[in-house]
Amino acid sequence: MSIERIEKRQGATLVAPALLWTLVFFVLPFLAMALMSLSHLEGRSVVSGPDLRNYAKIFTEPSLLKGIAVSLEITALVTVISVALAWPLAWIIATRIPVRWRRLALLLAVLPFWTSYVVRSYSWALVLGEKGVVMNALVGLGMLSEPVQIMATRSATVIGFVHFFVMLLTLTIYSNLIQLSPNYARAAEDLGASRWQVIRLVILPLTLPGVVTGAFLTFVLCIGDYITPQILGGNNELTLPQLIMLQLGRRGDYPMASALSLVLMLIVTLAYLACARWLKMERV
Amino acid sequence: MRTLSWVYLGAIFTFILLPVVVLVIFSFQDGRLPVPPFKGATLKWYAKILADRDLMEALVNSLMVAVLSSLVAVTLGFLAASGLARTVLPGSALMRGLLIAPMTVSYLIIGLGLLQMFNQVGIRPSLLATGIGHVVINLPLCFAIVYAAIGEHQKSALQAARDLGAREWQVLWHIAAPMLAPSLAAAFFLSFTFSWDEFIIAFLLTRFDVTLPVEIWSMLRSGLSPATNAVGSLVFLVSVAVVVTLELTLFRKGSK
């Protein structure tokens, strides 16, 4: 055997366990799920297809169709608001705060990361509830005559999500900003640009690739999340993950849950392709 | 612009920190509901949760699942990264893609797929099943971190060891692992955090023995309670303590 072949065989031996794990516990379940989505439930038993009944149902039944729309709307709204709030924060920390306080400011900006995800949603339920701190303060200050219902509405879901993703995006945008050479801003200023012009026309465009990557991450994590809409949004309007869990719980409808999951994956894949294409265009 | 910056900073920090502050304050609430008015401080809710056997069991379960699944994920990721960094194998790009793929799929879908497969082959929902799921979500991360850390310098050191007659396991154990220790530690730490906090896979794949997030979830169903605040605050304070300790010891030493 040549040395090269020994090398290759040993390399393959090292990769094999991880590859095998991924094949058995990721690819195989996925194929099983894809197959399951092509069967359907009759009464309580699964009738294997292959047929497209579940998919036909998803695109004709209003409640399921609405779930997809609700998920897309919430995710789009959350992504836009989070970027809009996180960018100025990252910029202030990167340029306005004295260097020795920067680490502390960044640490404070992501402090709630360190409590658990379930607890974070719960604490927003605490804050936004009818008797919660916010309503209490607003009524106490005379800004509202009586509490407004926020909990169990879309607003609560959006607030909970934005809270999480502002932290995430602040980190990604900040790491982008501190890598920029200060010469860009100096050059623009020398050429007579005002401060706002520097930010809008120079710094902002330079951070766009980082922003798009962060926004994609936000999109993927937001649209696939079950906890936040379930705890904060309640059952008035269901998102796609809530619908998937509902199929499992109520009737044990695995075929439908599988079909909805594949739709969710399709949406994420489309978003990925859109971002990848945009980033490539940007680089050329 | 300076004033505007400070006003913005104040507003956004209030938004970010408000829920955590409220969570911690009302964990000391001397009353049945964790909402204003604050009726005075007590530690009885902490005493209650520390005496709660289900909760403590769930905490131990979570630690176990997090440590073991992270160890498996780091080991598999380390081996795969060393293998792929070593030579160009036929289909290298495809293998890398496959190993990274689970990163782009929602946890819910990974959990659902595993649940269905386990049902079909007769594996009951358990901590083991959850651990398997956690390795699936963390393996891509571990692989990517370690793979990125193997540069030309590392490759030539490994090659030198092989040329001097070291066996493959000796190369891995005596050369590669110590050389890559910082990234292995980072991969382990991140995996641990993700596993520790993961809810949906654990929710789908456990039944009687549950992990901490699932136990907290079932506490939520009985409505708002200062006891839940106390659990949340405790998790928060312990995590912050761990992070601060790591920051002060491990990373400070590393930077010197």
Side-chain angles (χ1 to χ4, degrees):
Chain A
M1 253 195 310
S2 70
I3 289 179
E4 201 177 323
R5 277 189 53 196
I6 298 175
E7 293 254 300
K8 285 202 167 144
R9 211 186 54 185
Q10 283 181 341
T13 317
L14 292 177
V15 185
L19 223 46
L20 205 64
W21 190 283
T22 308
L23 285 173
V24 173
F25 296 119
F26 176 70
V27 177
L28 209 61
F30 176 74
L31 291 177
M33 194 162 75
L35 201 65
M36 181 63 100
S37 79
L38 297 174
S39 36
H40 63 275
L41 201 68
E42 250 171 46
R44 283 212 151 268
S45 52
V46 175
V47 181
S48 35
D51 60 62
L52 289 172
R53 286 188 207 199
N54 290 321
Y55 293 99
K57 208 168 150 197
I58 289 173
F59 291 104
T60 49
E61 196 167 303
S63 70
L64 298 176
L65 212 51
K66 194 177 164 234
I68 298 175
V70 167
S71 272
L72 284 173
E73 281 165 29
I74 289 180
T75 305
L77 196 63
V78 166
T79 308
V80 171
I81 298 178
S82 305
V83 171
L85 288 178
W87 205 95
L89 177 59
W91 182 81
I92 291 172
I93 296 179
T95 61
R96 301 276 113 179
I97 300 227
V99 180
R100 62 195 172 115
W101 295 113
R102 239 177 244 172
R103 242 186 125 76
L104 182 70
L106 207 59
L107 204 71
L108 272 180
V110 297
L111 198 67
F113 262 142
W114 300 109
T115 178
S116 85
Y117 196 93
V118 176
V119 171
R120 201 165 31 237
S121 289
Y122 163 81
S123 53
W124 272 110
L126 216 61
V127 170
L128 296 173
E130 206 178 309
K131 291 178 183 154
V133 179
V134 170
M135 286 307 147
N136 230 288
L138 290 179
V139 173
L141 291 170
M143 289 163 81
L144 285 177
S145 54
E146 56 185 75
V148 182
Q149 161 109 18
I150 295 185
M151 268 305 292
T153 67
R154 187 186 292 195
S155 311
T157 308
V158 171
I159 291 173
F161 270 139
V162 165
H163 181 243
F164 182 71
F165 292 117
V166 162
M167 296 190 281
L168 191 79
L169 282 161
T170 301
L171 281 181
T172 58
I173 297 171
Y174 173 83
S175 63
N176 214 288
L177 277 169
I178 52 163
Q179 279 169 15
L180 291 182
S181 155
N183 290 337
Y184 288 116
R186 281 192 208 129
E189 269 164 24
D190 286 349
L191 293 169
S194 74
R195 265 202 183 148
W196 285 113
Q197 280 176 319
V198 172
I199 294 177
R200 195 164 54 87
L201 299 172
V202 180
I203 309 293
L204 190 61
L206 283 171
T207 58
L208 270 188
V211 169
V212 172
T213 313
F216 171 68
L217 204 61
T218 305
F219 185 94
V220 174
L221 293 175
C222 182
I223 204 161
D225 183 41
Y226 168 72
I227 302 170
T228 306
Q230 183 66 22
I231 294 182
L232 294 173
N235 292 319
N236 293 327
E237 66 178 7
L238 298 178
T239 61
L240 203 42
Q242 285 177 294
L243 281 172
I244 294 173
M245 292 300 281
L246 196 67
Q247 307 302 322
L248 292 186
R250 203 171 40 184
R251 305 196 297 153
D253 193 343
Y254 283 92
M256 188 47 121
S258 304
L260 285 168
S261 300
L262 284 165
V263 170
L264 180 58
M265 268 188 82
L266 181 73
I267 295 174
V268 171
T269 310
L270 289 177
Y272 171 76
L273 291 177
C275 287
R277 198 170 159 179
W278 188 89
L279 284 174
K280 226 173 252 164
M281 270 164 43
E282 185 74 358
R283 216 172 287 151
V284 170
Chain B
M1 191 121 100
R2 165 158 286 179
T3 339
L4 197 62
S5 291
W6 286 111
V7 170
Y8 186 76
L9 214 56
I12 197 93
F13 271 125
T14 309
F15 172 65
I16 289 176
L17 299 176
L18 180 69
V20 179
V21 171
V22 170
L23 179 81
V24 174
I25 289 178
F26 284 98
S27 68
F28 300 109
Q29 171 80 306
D30 195 1
R32 296 190 65 85
L33 279 177
V35 290
F38 189 66
K39 291 177 184 154
T42 169
L43 284 174
K44 70 174 175 193
W45 299 107
Y46 286 90
K48 192 183 164 204
I49 57 161
L50 290 176
D52 184 331
R53 189 178 283 178
D54 288 347
L55 205 61
M56 290 303 124
E57 253 170 37
L59 187 118
V60 174
N61 290 344
S62 265
L63 274 177
M64 231 158 53
V65 170
V67 169
L68 293 178
S69 75
S70 304
L71 278 178
V72 175
V74 171
T75 310
L76 291 179
F78 167 64
L79 292 179
S82 330
L84 280 177
R86 184 170 172 186
T87 50
V88 180
L89 295 165
S92 271
L94 185 72
M95 286 188 216
R96 277 202 302 272
L98 191 63
L99 287 176
I100 297 290
M103 225 191 244
T104 58
V105 178
S106 300
Y107 289 0
L108 172 59
I109 297 175
I110 291 176
L112 187 59
L114 280 172
L115 175 65
Q116 292 188 25
M117 190 180 79
F118 287 157
N119 274 345
Q120 275 162 15
V121 297
I123 297 176
R124 298 258 177 82
S126 62
L127 291 175
L128 178 69
T130 304
I132 290 176
H134 286 180
V135 174
V136 173
I137 59 170
N138 284 326
L139 178 54
L141 195 80
C142 294
F143 168 72
I145 291 176
V146 180
Y147 188 73
I150 305 180
E152 283 311 313
H153 166 68
Q154 279 81 358
K155 276 184 202 169
S156 44
L158 298 182
Q159 194 54 52
R162 279 188 210 108
D163 291 347
L164 292 170
R167 288 164 184 274
E168 194 55 34
W169 67 265
Q170 287 176 315
V171 175
L172 289 175
W173 184 251
H174 292 298
I175 316 288
M179 202 158 52
L180 297 168
S183 20
L184 292 176
F188 180 83
F189 184 63
L190 268 179
S191 298
F192 182 91
T193 315
F194 285 141
S195 169
W196 170 256
D197 202 19
E198 201 286 324
F199 168 74
I200 196 77
I201 293 177
F203 184 62
L204 289 170
L205 295 182
T206 54
R207 191 150 299 159
F208 303 113
D209 292 319
V210 297
T211 61
L212 191 60
V214 179
E215 181 64 30
I216 295 177
W217 177 265
S218 61
M219 283 177 77
L220 293 189
R221 264 186 285 172
S222 51
L224 305 181
S225 157
T228 312
N229 287 44
V231 179
S233 307
L234 218 53
V235 171
F236 173 66
L237 294 176
V238 170
S239 320
V240 169
V242 169
V243 171
V244 170
T245 320
L246 280 179
E247 170 93 22
L248 289 180
T249 57
L250 216 70
F251 295 123
R252 182 140 306 175
K253 256 186 214 154
S255 65
K256 262 178 195 170

